[in-house]
């Protein structure tokens, strides 16, 4: 199973649209957002552009979580709140948290195959060895271009690996392997 993993959209609709188009074209029907969608309208935009299952946690600049939950309460939206999301997808146990330190602590429990996070806008993918088990700890970066290259991941549950994708600023076909 392939899953799109994004974070820190910060209301950047053009990039969000391009990433959603790419994921849809690739036949990816599940998306994880690691927080900082920002405005409730951006969550609405995400749901307009991506018709698959969307799992999101709240970040530190997500405005009006109540409105996000009530206005956009759709069957394909799973708003997990600020603590964490715990998911079972494609035979993998996955945790999602916005903050790097809390995500690292979740990964260190060894309870998950993969832990995704955001917040610092820095792409990272590493393996932690926990009790003889290899846990993927990964940050897809940001879609916001706030001083960093815009990026996201495609996560393969079969291999428990991520493939980073960079978003080009000036191309019609905006997605390229990084």
């Amino acid at each position: 199973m392939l899953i799109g993993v994004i974070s820190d959209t910060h209301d950047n609709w053009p990039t969000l649209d391009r990433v959603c188009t790419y994921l849809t074209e690739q036949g990816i029907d599940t998306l994880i957002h690691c927080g900082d969608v920002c405005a409730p309208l951006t969550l609405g935009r995400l749901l307009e552009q991506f018709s698959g299952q969307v799992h999101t946690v709240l970040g530190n600049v997500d405005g009006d979580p109540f409105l996000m939950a009530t206005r956009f309460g759709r069957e394909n939206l799973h708003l997990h709140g600020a603590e964490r999301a715990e998911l079972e997808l494609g035979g993998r146990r996955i945790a999602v948290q916005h903050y790097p330190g809390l995500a690292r602590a979740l990964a260190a429990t060894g309870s998950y195959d993969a832990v995704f996070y955001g917040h610092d806008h820095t792409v990272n993918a590493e393996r932690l060895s926990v009790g003889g088990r290899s846990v993927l700890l990964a940050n897809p970066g940001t879609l916001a271009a706030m001083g960093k290259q815009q990026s996201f991941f495609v996560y393969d549950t079969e291999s428990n690996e991520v493939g980073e994708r960079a978003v080009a600023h000036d191309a019609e076909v905006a997605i390229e392997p990084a």
Side-chain angles (χ1 to χ4, degrees), residues 55-67:
H55 296 271
T56 186
V57 295
L58 295 173
N60 59 301
V61 294
D62 280 321
D64 204 343
F66 177 78
L67 183 59

Side-chain angles (χ1 to χ4, degrees), residues 15-44:
T15 302
L16 179 63
D17 291 353
R18 289 187 294 194
V19 170
C20 289
T21 298
Y22 173 82
L23 295 173
T24 300
E25 288 173 351
Q26 298 302 308
I28 296 170
D29 62 2
T30 301
L31 176 66
I32 292 172
H33 196 300
C34 302
D36 281 359
V37 172
C38 284
L41 287 176
T42 301
L43 180 60

Side-chain angles (χ1 to χ4, degrees), residues 74-96:
R74 299 183 185 155
E75 283 187 23
N76 67 321
L77 174 63
H78 308 277
L79 187 58
H80 296 276
E83 185 179 337
R84 72 176 168 267
E86 291 182 320
L87 311 170
E88 289 198 28
L89 298 169
R92 297 287 182 179
R93 285 194 39 84
I94 301 166
V96 185

Side-chain angles (χ1 to χ4, degrees), residues 156-175:
D156 184 339
T157 60
E158 188 173 322
S159 66
N160 198 30
E161 296 286 340
V162 291
E164 179 186 348
R165 301 290 186 264
V167 181
H169 294 284
D170 57 356
E172 278 297 315
V173 178
I175 313 301

